[in-house]
Amino acid sequence: FWDQADDTRDNIVSSALNSFMALTSRPEIRRWMETTPLQEEESGLSIDNVLMGARIGINAPASLYGEPGEAVTAFMKARFFKAIRERAKLKDWRETGQKPVYLIIDECQQVVNKDDGKALETGRSLGLHFIAATQTIENIYAAFGSNADADQFLEICRSYVSLDSSPATLDWLAKKVPHYQRQKIAQYPIDEPIRDAVILAEQETAINTSSSL
């Protein structure tokens, strides 16, 4: 940094200050940033508490909070994955009283990225279960910007649940199901509620279906 020209250093500092000011522009975000580790622990809202079975939700969508919301979500996601990775240092994390963890992300295309794939794969062996929701497969491809990166991320998922969705989404799902399972789906009459929801279990298993929807 100090080896850079004066103008370059000034631009870097100015950019950093602008980013920091953007993060502190919302009172809700500023209060969160000013919270100390001790206050987090006393309130029971430390993200690390999910390892012991706590249920914590983060709702900071960019549609409401803009860039600060995105930054908070990214920071908390990083802390969460770090906490999960720490389990690998233990001989048996279950013996410490820690619990399996479910990470549930709605509109996941706004939160996940290609770098999360490795963390999720590693986390699977450390008691992490991942549930991601999105409206269409097109949302995933658009967010990743690369079909190859999106496909690599989607391969992490072992099960798929789809309600009525876009033609591209249904076509993508059809390609995930072995031929004999697609034949089994086709056996159901079109006028039954089953047409609205098909739960695709792991590809090696039979398809579970429900007509109670």
Side-chain angles (χ1 to χ4, degrees), residues 138-159:
E138 296 96 310
N139 288 344
I140 298 290
Y141 285 127
F144 276 75
S146 163
N147 287 4
D149 289 339
D151 286 335
Q152 186 175 12
F153 175 81
L154 291 166
E155 283 299 317
I156 297 171
C157 302
R158 298 291 182 84
S159 304

Side-chain angles (χ1 to χ4, degrees), residues 177-189:
V177 185
H179 179 67
Y180 77 91
Q181 291 185 344
R182 290 202 296 271
Q183 287 181 321
K184 186 172 182 179
I185 295 174
Q187 293 174 3
Y188 290 97

Side-chain angles (χ1 to χ4, degrees), residues 109-131:
Q109 75 279 357
Q110 298 178 8
V111 179
V112 299
N113 56 57
K114 65 178 182 179
D115 296 327
D116 294 331
K118 185 174 180 58
L120 291 167
E121 286 187 307
T122 302
R124 182 177 291 143
S125 63
L126 298 172
L128 174 61
H129 304 272
F130 177 56
I131 301 173

Side-chain angles (χ1 to χ4, degrees), residues 10-24:
D10 290 344
N11 288 336
I12 293 174
V13 172
S14 177
S15 178
L17 287 175
N18 288 336
S19 296
F20 182 77
M21 291 177 64
L23 289 176
T24 58

Side-chain angles (χ1 to χ4, degrees), residues 27-42:
E28 308 94 324
I29 303 296
R30 189 165 59 250
R31 284 196 299 270
W32 171 78
M33 293 179 65
E34 293 171 350
T35 302
T36 66
L38 179 59
Q39 290 173 324
E40 271 193 354
E41 195 62 37
E42 290 177 344

